[in-house]
Short mmCIF file of all heavy atoms in Angstrom, two decimals:
data_model
loop_
_atom_site.label_atom_id
_atom_site.label_comp_id
_atom_site.label_asym_id
_atom_site.label_seq_id
_atom_site.Cartn_x
_atom_site.Cartn_y
_atom_site.Cartn_z
N HIS A 319 -0.43 2.34 -18.48
CA HIS A 319 0.22 1.15 -18.00
C HIS A 319 -0.23 0.95 -16.59
O HIS A 319 -0.61 1.82 -15.88
CB HIS A 319 1.73 1.33 -18.08
CG HIS A 319 2.18 2.43 -17.26
ND1 HIS A 319 2.03 3.81 -17.61
CD2 HIS A 319 2.82 2.53 -16.11
CE1 HIS A 319 2.51 4.58 -16.69
NE2 HIS A 319 3.04 3.85 -15.81
N PRO A 320 -0.22 -0.35 -16.09
CA PRO A 320 -0.51 -0.57 -14.72
C PRO A 320 0.72 -0.19 -13.86
O PRO A 320 1.86 -0.19 -14.30
CB PRO A 320 -0.70 -2.12 -14.69
CG PRO A 320 -0.02 -2.56 -15.84
CD PRO A 320 -0.04 -1.63 -16.90
N VAL A 321 0.38 0.23 -12.60
CA VAL A 321 1.44 0.70 -11.70
C VAL A 321 1.82 -0.59 -10.81
O VAL A 321 0.94 -1.08 -10.06
CB VAL A 321 1.07 1.85 -10.86
CG1 VAL A 321 2.16 2.24 -9.81
CG2 VAL A 321 0.63 3.10 -11.81
N GLU A 322 3.01 -1.00 -10.84
CA GLU A 322 3.49 -2.13 -10.04
C GLU A 322 4.22 -1.61 -8.79
O GLU A 322 5.09 -0.76 -8.96
CB GLU A 322 4.36 -3.09 -10.82
CG GLU A 322 3.68 -3.81 -12.03
CD GLU A 322 2.94 -5.01 -11.63
OE1 GLU A 322 3.23 -5.54 -10.52
OE2 GLU A 322 2.00 -5.34 -12.30
N MET A 323 3.81 -2.06 -7.59
CA MET A 323 4.54 -1.67 -6.38
C MET A 323 4.86 -2.97 -5.56
O MET A 323 4.02 -3.70 -5.26
CB MET A 323 3.63 -0.76 -5.56
CG MET A 323 3.19 0.46 -6.15
SD MET A 323 2.20 1.49 -5.11
CE MET A 323 3.42 1.99 -3.86
N PRO A 324 6.23 -3.12 -5.40
CA PRO A 324 6.62 -4.24 -4.53
C PRO A 324 6.22 -4.04 -3.03
O PRO A 324 6.34 -2.91 -2.51
CB PRO A 324 8.11 -4.28 -4.62
CG PRO A 324 8.56 -2.94 -5.06
CD PRO A 324 7.34 -2.34 -5.87
N ILE A 325 5.66 -5.08 -2.45
CA ILE A 325 5.27 -4.93 -1.05
C ILE A 325 6.38 -5.16 -0.17
O ILE A 325 7.09 -6.30 -0.17
CB ILE A 325 4.08 -5.98 -0.80
CG1 ILE A 325 2.92 -5.66 -1.76
CG2 ILE A 325 3.66 -5.89 0.63
CD1 ILE A 325 1.82 -6.72 -1.64
N PRO A 326 6.75 -4.30 0.78
CA PRO A 326 7.89 -4.47 1.68
C PRO A 326 7.64 -5.61 2.65
O PRO A 326 6.55 -6.01 2.99
CB PRO A 326 8.05 -3.15 2.45
CG PRO A 326 7.04 -2.16 1.82
CD PRO A 326 6.10 -2.97 0.97
N GLU A 327 8.81 -6.07 3.23
CA GLU A 327 8.67 -7.15 4.24
C GLU A 327 8.01 -6.61 5.45
O GLU A 327 8.19 -5.46 5.84
CB GLU A 327 10.15 -7.57 4.66
CG GLU A 327 10.83 -8.39 3.67
CD GLU A 327 10.14 -9.70 3.48
OE1 GLU A 327 9.69 -10.41 4.42
OE2 GLU A 327 10.05 -10.17 2.20
N GLY A 328 7.20 -7.34 6.15
CA GLY A 328 6.47 -6.89 7.30
C GLY A 328 5.16 -6.24 7.06
O GLY A 328 4.41 -5.82 7.98
N ILE A 329 4.74 -6.06 5.77
CA ILE A 329 3.49 -5.37 5.41
C ILE A 329 2.65 -6.38 4.74
O ILE A 329 3.08 -7.26 3.91
CB ILE A 329 3.80 -4.28 4.39
CG1 ILE A 329 4.61 -3.22 5.05
CG2 ILE A 329 2.50 -3.72 3.87
CD1 ILE A 329 3.95 -2.36 6.09
N VAL A 330 1.31 -6.33 5.15
CA VAL A 330 0.36 -7.19 4.46
C VAL A 330 -0.64 -6.31 3.74
O VAL A 330 -1.21 -5.41 4.44
CB VAL A 330 -0.35 -8.11 5.55
CG1 VAL A 330 -1.49 -8.96 4.91
CG2 VAL A 330 0.61 -9.01 6.27
N VAL A 331 -0.94 -6.64 2.50
CA VAL A 331 -1.83 -5.78 1.75
C VAL A 331 -3.06 -6.75 1.24
O VAL A 331 -2.78 -7.82 0.72
CB VAL A 331 -1.16 -5.24 0.52
CG1 VAL A 331 -2.16 -4.45 -0.37
CG2 VAL A 331 -0.02 -4.25 0.82
N ASN A 332 -4.20 -6.24 1.57
CA ASN A 332 -5.43 -6.98 1.23
C ASN A 332 -6.26 -6.13 0.35
O ASN A 332 -6.37 -4.95 0.57
CB ASN A 332 -6.33 -7.42 2.48
CG ASN A 332 -5.65 -8.39 3.27
OD1 ASN A 332 -4.97 -9.29 2.86
ND2 ASN A 332 -5.75 -8.23 4.62
N VAL A 333 -6.89 -6.67 -0.75
CA VAL A 333 -7.69 -6.01 -1.68
C VAL A 333 -9.10 -6.65 -1.66
O VAL A 333 -9.22 -7.82 -1.85
CB VAL A 333 -7.12 -5.99 -3.09
CG1 VAL A 333 -8.06 -5.29 -4.05
CG2 VAL A 333 -5.76 -5.36 -3.19
N GLU A 334 -10.03 -5.80 -1.20
CA GLU A 334 -11.49 -6.22 -1.29
C GLU A 334 -12.23 -5.46 -2.37
O GLU A 334 -12.09 -4.21 -2.48
CB GLU A 334 -12.12 -6.05 0.11
CG GLU A 334 -11.41 -6.58 1.27
CD GLU A 334 -10.55 -5.68 1.96
OE1 GLU A 334 -10.73 -4.45 1.94
OE2 GLU A 334 -9.53 -6.19 2.61
N LYS A 335 -12.97 -6.07 -3.08
CA LYS A 335 -13.91 -5.49 -4.15
C LYS A 335 -13.14 -4.71 -5.19
O LYS A 335 -13.66 -3.79 -5.75
CB LYS A 335 -14.99 -4.63 -3.50
CG LYS A 335 -15.88 -5.33 -2.53
CD LYS A 335 -16.94 -4.53 -1.96
CE LYS A 335 -16.30 -3.45 -1.07
NZ LYS A 335 -17.23 -2.56 -0.48
N ASN A 336 -11.85 -5.02 -5.37
CA ASN A 336 -11.05 -4.31 -6.40
C ASN A 336 -10.75 -2.85 -6.15
O ASN A 336 -9.92 -2.31 -6.85
CB ASN A 336 -11.61 -4.50 -7.78
CG ASN A 336 -11.47 -5.92 -8.30
OD1 ASN A 336 -10.60 -6.65 -7.92
ND2 ASN A 336 -12.41 -6.32 -9.23
N THR A 337 -11.64 -2.25 -5.29
CA THR A 337 -11.37 -0.82 -5.16
C THR A 337 -11.03 -0.45 -3.67
O THR A 337 -10.97 0.77 -3.33
CB THR A 337 -12.68 0.01 -5.51
OG1 THR A 337 -13.74 -0.42 -4.88
CG2 THR A 337 -12.89 -0.12 -7.05
N SER A 338 -10.92 -1.37 -2.80
CA SER A 338 -10.62 -1.11 -1.41
C SER A 338 -9.32 -1.88 -1.02
O SER A 338 -9.26 -2.99 -1.17
CB SER A 338 -11.77 -1.64 -0.56
OG SER A 338 -11.45 -1.46 0.82
N VAL A 339 -8.36 -1.06 -0.57
CA VAL A 339 -7.07 -1.58 -0.27
C VAL A 339 -6.76 -1.46 1.23
O VAL A 339 -6.91 -0.28 1.72
CB VAL A 339 -5.87 -0.97 -1.09
CG1 VAL A 339 -4.51 -1.46 -0.73
CG2 VAL A 339 -6.12 -1.14 -2.62
N THR A 340 -6.37 -2.46 1.91
CA THR A 340 -5.98 -2.42 3.25
C THR A 340 -4.61 -2.74 3.49
O THR A 340 -4.10 -3.87 3.05
CB THR A 340 -6.93 -3.37 4.12
OG1 THR A 340 -8.26 -3.09 3.91
CG2 THR A 340 -6.64 -3.24 5.63
N VAL A 341 -3.78 -1.82 4.13
CA VAL A 341 -2.34 -2.04 4.32
C VAL A 341 -2.28 -2.16 5.87
O VAL A 341 -2.73 -1.43 6.66
CB VAL A 341 -1.57 -0.82 3.91
CG1 VAL A 341 -0.01 -0.98 4.20
CG2 VAL A 341 -1.76 -0.49 2.44
N SER A 342 -1.66 -3.32 6.27
CA SER A 342 -1.45 -3.59 7.70
C SER A 342 -0.12 -4.11 7.96
O SER A 342 0.61 -4.68 7.15
CB SER A 342 -2.56 -4.55 8.28
OG SER A 342 -2.43 -5.82 7.49
N GLY A 343 0.30 -3.94 9.26
CA GLY A 343 1.62 -4.39 9.76
C GLY A 343 1.93 -4.00 11.10
O GLY A 343 1.02 -3.40 11.77
N TYR A 344 3.07 -4.30 11.67
CA TYR A 344 3.40 -3.98 13.01
C TYR A 344 4.19 -2.77 13.17
O TYR A 344 4.32 -2.23 14.26
CB TYR A 344 4.02 -5.16 13.73
CG TYR A 344 5.32 -5.76 13.04
CD1 TYR A 344 6.49 -5.14 13.33
CD2 TYR A 344 5.27 -6.77 12.11
CE1 TYR A 344 7.64 -5.57 12.66
CE2 TYR A 344 6.31 -7.22 11.47
CZ TYR A 344 7.57 -6.64 11.78
OH TYR A 344 8.73 -7.02 11.12
N ASP A 345 4.73 -2.20 12.15
CA ASP A 345 5.57 -0.98 12.28
C ASP A 345 4.74 0.18 11.68
O ASP A 345 4.45 0.22 10.46
CB ASP A 345 6.89 -1.09 11.45
CG ASP A 345 7.81 0.03 11.56
OD1 ASP A 345 7.49 1.03 12.26
OD2 ASP A 345 8.95 -0.13 11.04
N LYS A 346 4.36 1.07 12.60
CA LYS A 346 3.56 2.21 12.23
C LYS A 346 4.11 3.06 11.12
O LYS A 346 3.39 3.52 10.23
CB LYS A 346 3.21 3.08 13.44
CG LYS A 346 2.19 4.19 13.23
CD LYS A 346 1.92 4.91 14.39
CE LYS A 346 0.75 5.95 14.15
NZ LYS A 346 0.32 6.57 15.35
N GLU A 347 5.41 3.29 11.14
CA GLU A 347 6.13 4.12 10.12
C GLU A 347 5.94 3.52 8.80
O GLU A 347 5.65 4.19 7.81
CB GLU A 347 7.48 4.39 10.57
CG GLU A 347 7.71 5.33 11.77
CD GLU A 347 9.17 5.46 12.01
OE1 GLU A 347 10.01 5.60 11.07
OE2 GLU A 347 9.54 5.45 13.20
N GLN A 348 6.25 2.14 8.77
CA GLN A 348 6.32 1.44 7.49
C GLN A 348 4.95 1.25 6.86
O GLN A 348 4.68 1.49 5.70
CB GLN A 348 6.84 0.11 7.77
CG GLN A 348 7.43 -0.57 6.51
CD GLN A 348 8.10 -1.83 6.82
OE1 GLN A 348 7.85 -2.48 7.94
NE2 GLN A 348 8.93 -2.31 5.96
N VAL A 349 3.87 1.03 7.71
CA VAL A 349 2.46 1.04 7.17
C VAL A 349 2.06 2.39 6.66
O VAL A 349 1.45 2.50 5.59
CB VAL A 349 1.49 0.57 8.31
CG1 VAL A 349 0.06 0.70 7.94
CG2 VAL A 349 1.75 -0.87 8.67
N GLY A 350 2.30 3.44 7.40
CA GLY A 350 1.96 4.82 6.97
C GLY A 350 2.68 5.25 5.67
O GLY A 350 2.16 5.81 4.74
N GLN A 351 4.02 4.89 5.55
CA GLN A 351 4.73 5.31 4.45
C GLN A 351 4.22 4.54 3.14
O GLN A 351 4.12 5.07 2.08
CB GLN A 351 6.21 5.08 4.67
CG GLN A 351 7.05 5.46 3.56
CD GLN A 351 6.93 6.98 3.28
OE1 GLN A 351 7.14 7.76 4.24
NE2 GLN A 351 6.65 7.37 2.04
N PHE A 352 3.97 3.25 3.32
CA PHE A 352 3.48 2.47 2.16
C PHE A 352 2.13 2.97 1.62
O PHE A 352 1.83 3.04 0.48
CB PHE A 352 3.52 0.90 2.38
CG PHE A 352 3.31 0.10 1.15
CD1 PHE A 352 4.26 0.13 0.22
CD2 PHE A 352 2.21 -0.65 1.02
CE1 PHE A 352 4.06 -0.65 -0.96
CE2 PHE A 352 1.99 -1.37 -0.16
CZ PHE A 352 2.89 -1.35 -1.07
N ALA A 353 1.27 3.23 2.64
CA ALA A 353 -0.07 3.73 2.33
C ALA A 353 0.09 5.15 1.60
O ALA A 353 -0.64 5.37 0.60
CB ALA A 353 -0.97 3.90 3.55
N ALA A 354 1.04 5.91 2.07
CA ALA A 354 1.19 7.32 1.40
C ALA A 354 1.77 7.11 -0.01
O ALA A 354 1.46 7.92 -0.93
CB ALA A 354 2.14 8.09 2.31
N ASP A 355 2.68 6.03 -0.17
CA ASP A 355 3.25 5.84 -1.50
C ASP A 355 2.12 5.40 -2.46
O ASP A 355 2.14 5.81 -3.61
CB ASP A 355 4.31 4.71 -1.43
CG ASP A 355 5.51 5.25 -0.73
OD1 ASP A 355 5.72 6.47 -0.57
OD2 ASP A 355 6.35 4.31 -0.34
N ILE A 356 1.24 4.56 -1.96
CA ILE A 356 0.09 4.08 -2.81
C ILE A 356 -0.78 5.28 -3.23
O ILE A 356 -1.15 5.55 -4.34
CB ILE A 356 -0.79 3.10 -2.17
CG1 ILE A 356 -0.08 1.83 -1.93
CG2 ILE A 356 -2.06 2.81 -2.95
CD1 ILE A 356 -0.72 0.77 -1.00
N ARG A 357 -1.03 6.17 -2.22
CA ARG A 357 -1.95 7.41 -2.45
C ARG A 357 -1.27 8.35 -3.48
O ARG A 357 -1.83 9.03 -4.23
CB ARG A 357 -2.17 8.07 -1.09
CG ARG A 357 -3.12 9.27 -1.22
CD ARG A 357 -3.28 9.90 0.13
NE ARG A 357 -4.24 11.06 0.03
CZ ARG A 357 -3.81 12.30 -0.34
NH1 ARG A 357 -2.57 12.49 -0.62
NH2 ARG A 357 -4.67 13.23 -0.39
N SER A 358 0.10 8.43 -3.35
CA SER A 358 0.86 9.37 -4.23
C SER A 358 0.80 8.97 -5.77
O SER A 358 1.12 9.81 -6.56
CB SER A 358 2.31 9.43 -3.69
OG SER A 358 3.03 8.26 -4.10
N LYS A 359 0.45 7.75 -5.98
CA LYS A 359 0.44 7.28 -7.47
C LYS A 359 -0.80 8.00 -8.20
O LYS A 359 -0.65 8.18 -9.39
CB LYS A 359 0.27 5.80 -7.55
CG LYS A 359 1.35 5.02 -6.90
CD LYS A 359 2.70 5.48 -7.59
CE LYS A 359 3.87 4.60 -6.86
NZ LYS A 359 5.15 5.07 -7.36
N ARG A 360 -1.80 8.43 -7.41
CA ARG A 360 -2.89 9.23 -8.10
C ARG A 360 -3.63 9.91 -6.97
O ARG A 360 -4.64 9.33 -6.42
CB ARG A 360 -3.78 8.33 -8.89
CG ARG A 360 -5.02 9.00 -9.54
CD ARG A 360 -4.58 9.87 -10.78
NE ARG A 360 -4.65 9.08 -11.97
CZ ARG A 360 -4.55 9.60 -13.16
NH1 ARG A 360 -4.39 10.88 -13.28
NH2 ARG A 360 -4.64 8.83 -14.18
N GLU A 361 -3.24 11.04 -6.52
CA GLU A 361 -3.88 11.78 -5.48
C GLU A 361 -5.26 12.21 -5.93
O GLU A 361 -5.53 12.52 -7.01
CB GLU A 361 -3.04 12.98 -4.99
CG GLU A 361 -1.75 12.58 -4.34
CD GLU A 361 -0.93 13.72 -3.80
OE1 GLU A 361 -1.36 14.83 -3.90
OE2 GLU A 361 0.24 13.50 -3.34
#
């Protein structure tokens, strides 16, 4: 099944070439945590 993740407020997610994901925002903790959550789906 596909993994659906809601994007939190203050975070911008860009996908380039279907295999490159960029997470950006102004809160370092929130950006790092969301990137770690994405990585944890398939380490």
Side-chain angles (χ1 to χ4, degrees):
H319 60 290
V321 178
E322 296 279 336
M323 297 182 70
I325 300 172
E327 288 292 322
I329 297 289
V330 177
V331 178
N332 294 323
V333 176
E334 303 96 26
K335 301 183 291 182
N336 290 334
T337 59
S338 178
V339 179
T340 304
V341 180
S342 59
Y344 55 87
D345 188 355
K346 185 175 186 175
E347 290 178 42
Q348 201 174 23
V349 169
Q351 185 61 53
F352 191 66
D355 290 343
I356 294 171
R357 184 182 181 276
S358 72
K359 299 302 179 187
R360 178 75 91 174
E361 292 183 3

